[in-house]
Amino acid sequence: MTNPLLVLADHAASWRAREMPADVAHHARRVLVDWFAATLPGCPRPPATLIAAALEDETRGGGGAVCYVTGRRVPLRHAALVNGTASHTVEFDDIYRYAVYHPGCPTIAAALAAAQSRGTEMEALLRAIVAGYEVSCRIGVAVQPSHYDFWHTTGTVGTFGAAAAVAVLLDCDADRTAHAIATAATMAGGLQQAFRGEGMSKPLHPGHAAEAGALAAMAAARGMTGALDVLHGPAGFAAATSEDTGKWDKALAGIGKPYAVTDMTVKNHGCCGHIFAALDAVRDLQLEHGFKADDVAAIAVGGYKATKDVCDRPDARTEQDCRFSTQFTVATMLLHGGVRLAAFEPDRLTDPAIRALMPKVTVALDAECAAAFPSKRSAKVEIRLKDGRVLNRHQHTRKGDPDAPLTDGDLSDKFLELTSDVIGAAQAKALLAQLWEGNALPGLVPLVTQAARAAE
């Protein structure tokens, strides 16, 4: 068979100079806007703050990349790690549904750090983003859906996105890009169990992927080699992390048609994406029929395997746990009409009204939804009201998916909503304009808390 790693490396390296269609460049800007929208509100929160504190002694030498958590110039790998962690903290990051994967967190965290360290302009960053998305999303397709039984794709496959993107920015040719991807493979990791229960490890997965991928590219640029059959070999990445040696014909078919970056899901809720279809169905049924939370007797959610395995959490208590709880988020949607940042504030986590609704929500595996996964992220919702009415909705897709996309205006609104309190409204608007239209890279963006500390 054709070596998939060499095909992907050649394609990635071509983005150093190939013509970039206007729509592809625009979509690359969209994912960059969305990355900042997800990252900045994660910067003042653990675990990003804790990772930054753990690395405090390593930042004193400075560097060319920006750590948005601390507001300091730091080395490339440090920025990739900390920013990558921050970008996954509030669960608002983009999704490539066919790979069950959040490519922006690791890919953009590493690419932006490398671009800042190299002093490039925006176009070089956009090219690197496109390349990183192409490589990692296609590897993700090759190992799914079985990969997701035990592995967190954003931690594993994200390492390849970071490696390919940084390799482009380091001007690696196809050969050295191949070795960057090969070395990244043996450093990829991230276990499902890290977010099946409590704990802060999940956001560290894309942070580690960004740092490890960046290191692989930096080493390859200096001549370090990797095993070029590591993706498809009998003891390689696909064989070790999925049920077979990879669906490479499917993953490589029509490479670049469409480009992965043009086919992204932009999150419309601040929680696990496996709950989104149910939330959309509940919201739409409530708007159509005008019932209130107090009118609800029971809600049954049918979904695919991950909806049941990952998001059936009837007694979630912590912020992390509640972001993955169908019961908590559905109750929040019924009571508040949305699941955004405020949904996970301490007073909401203990709200008696939410707690009273949660036992009314049940989650089960639905055969039709399971068969459609991962290409479709659907849900079936049945709401029984106290007056005897029974309302049903089969939600075939999610708002924000490529077939029901957020507009540029919707994305800008999301950005301003999530970042204005963190960096100030004026700075948020200026950064948004730069990301949409600017030729220069974004630089330091002081958080409100950093500015306040500096003024003391």
Side-chain angles (χ1 to χ4, degrees):
M1 65 174 288
T2 301
N3 187 328
L5 190 151
L6 298 181
V7 174
L8 291 167
D10 185 68
H11 183 62
S14 74
W15 281 99
R16 294 176 300 157
R18 70 185 295 166
E19 180 182 356
M20 183 158 59
D23 68 314
V24 176
H26 180 73
H27 278 281
R29 285 187 185 267
R30 275 179 60 92
V31 298
L32 183 59
V33 169
D34 200 41
W35 183 83
F36 272 100
T39 301
L40 292 174
C43 287
R45 300 167 182 256
T49 52
L50 302 179
I51 294 295
L55 297 175
E56 178 70 23
D57 290 344
E58 299 183 13
T59 65
R60 305 197 186 283
V66 174
C67 176
Y68 290 99
V69 174
T70 61
R72 296 175 180 168
R73 292 279 181 178
V74 297
L76 191 168
R77 289 172 55 201
H78 180 108
L81 170 61
V82 181
N83 292 339
T85 301
S87 69
H88 201 51
T89 294
V90 299
E91 294 286 343
F92 260 112
D93 38 336
D94 64 9
I95 302 169
Y96 189 67
R97 59 184 175 180
Y98 310 106
V100 201
Y101 168 46
H102 302 282
C105 300
T107 304
I108 297 178
L112 180 58
Q116 290 168 336
S117 295
R118 298 273 291 178
T120 72
E121 294 189 347
M122 180 67 79
E123 182 182 345
L125 172 61
L126 299 179
R127 288 178 175 278
I129 289 171
V130 174
Y133 274 55
E134 282 288 280
V135 168
S136 56
C137 289
R138 289 180 177 277
I139 294 174
V141 167
V143 297
Q144 296 295 12
S146 60
H147 184 83
Y148 200 69
D149 289 344
F150 298 101
W151 300 95
H152 183 204
T153 322
T154 306
T156 55
V157 171
T159 315
F160 301 115
V166 174
V168 169
L169 286 159
L170 297 182
D171 202 30
C172 291
D173 61 13
D175 180 64
R176 293 199 174 191
T177 301
H179 287 292
I181 296 170
T183 298
T186 202
M187 296 191 286
L191 296 172
Q192 280 265 334
Q193 199 61 45
F195 57 90
R196 293 286 182 100
E198 298 182 8
M200 298 181 182
S201 302
K202 182 175 185 271
L204 182 58
H205 290 173
H208 167 72
E211 181 192 25
L215 175 60
M218 293 162 69
R222 294 286 186 172
M224 182 172 174
T225 61
L228 296 181
D229 58 353
V230 73
L231 291 184
H232 69 291
F237 179 77
T241 67
S242 65
E243 290 180 350
D244 52 40
T245 55
K247 305 174 184 70
W248 295 110
D249 289 344
K250 178 181 178 181
L252 300 177
I255 191 165
K257 298 177 182 178
Y259 297 108
V261 78
T262 68
D263 207 18
M264 299 304 302
T265 294
V266 175
K267 277 191 170 187
N268 195 41
H269 309 294
C271 58
C272 180
H274 299 311
I275 312 172
F276 282 18
L279 293 177
D280 289 344
V282 168
R283 177 199 59 205
D284 290 348
L285 287 170
Q286 191 174 31
L287 289 173
E288 289 170 16
H289 297 276
F291 60 87
K292 294 182 170 33
D294 288 344
D295 300 323
V296 173
I299 298 178
V301 175
Y304 47 89
K305 187 174 184 292
T307 312
K308 175 64 178 174
D309 291 352
V310 177
C311 302
D312 185 11
R313 306 191 186 197
D315 193 38
R317 296 284 172 178
T318 66
E319 178 182 347
Q320 173 73 2
D321 216 13
C322 287
R323 289 187 189 277
F324 287 82
S325 169
T326 301
Q327 288 82 358
F328 179 86
T329 53
V330 166
T332 299
M333 178 63 76
L334 281 169
L335 283 162
H336 299 284
V339 182
R340 310 290 273 199
L341 290 179
F344 305 98
E345 293 298 322
D347 60 334
R348 290 278 187 89
L349 297 180
T350 58
D351 184 352
I354 292 176
R355 293 287 150 190
L357 270 175
M358 288 174 64
K360 299 180 180 181
V361 181
T362 57
V363 182
L365 184 67
D366 179 87
E368 187 175 0
C369 294
F373 178 83
S375 295
K376 289 190 177 293
R377 306 299 182 83
S378 56
K380 293 180 182 178
V381 172
E382 179 181 275
I383 300 179
R384 293 185 175 272
L385 301 178
K386 292 175 181 177
D387 64 9
R389 285 182 291 165
V390 179
L391 310 176
N392 286 279
R393 173 64 56 86
H394 185 178
Q395 191 75 24
H396 292 278
T397 191
R398 308 170 294 186
K399 183 174 175 60
D401 274 339
D403 42 359
L406 298 188
T407 66
D408 288 354
D410 293 334
L411 178 53
S412 292
D413 289 344
K414 172 185 172 179
F415 177 93
L416 293 173
E417 176 191 342
L418 297 181
T419 65
S420 291
D421 287 345
V422 185
I423 63 174
Q427 186 171 222
K429 290 178 181 177
L431 176 59
L432 179 62
Q434 180 184 12
L435 296 174
W436 278 127
E437 303 292 343
N439 293 321
L441 293 177
L444 291 166
V445 183
L447 308 183
V448 169
T449 51
Q450 293 167 1
R453 286 198 299 269
E456 290 176 356

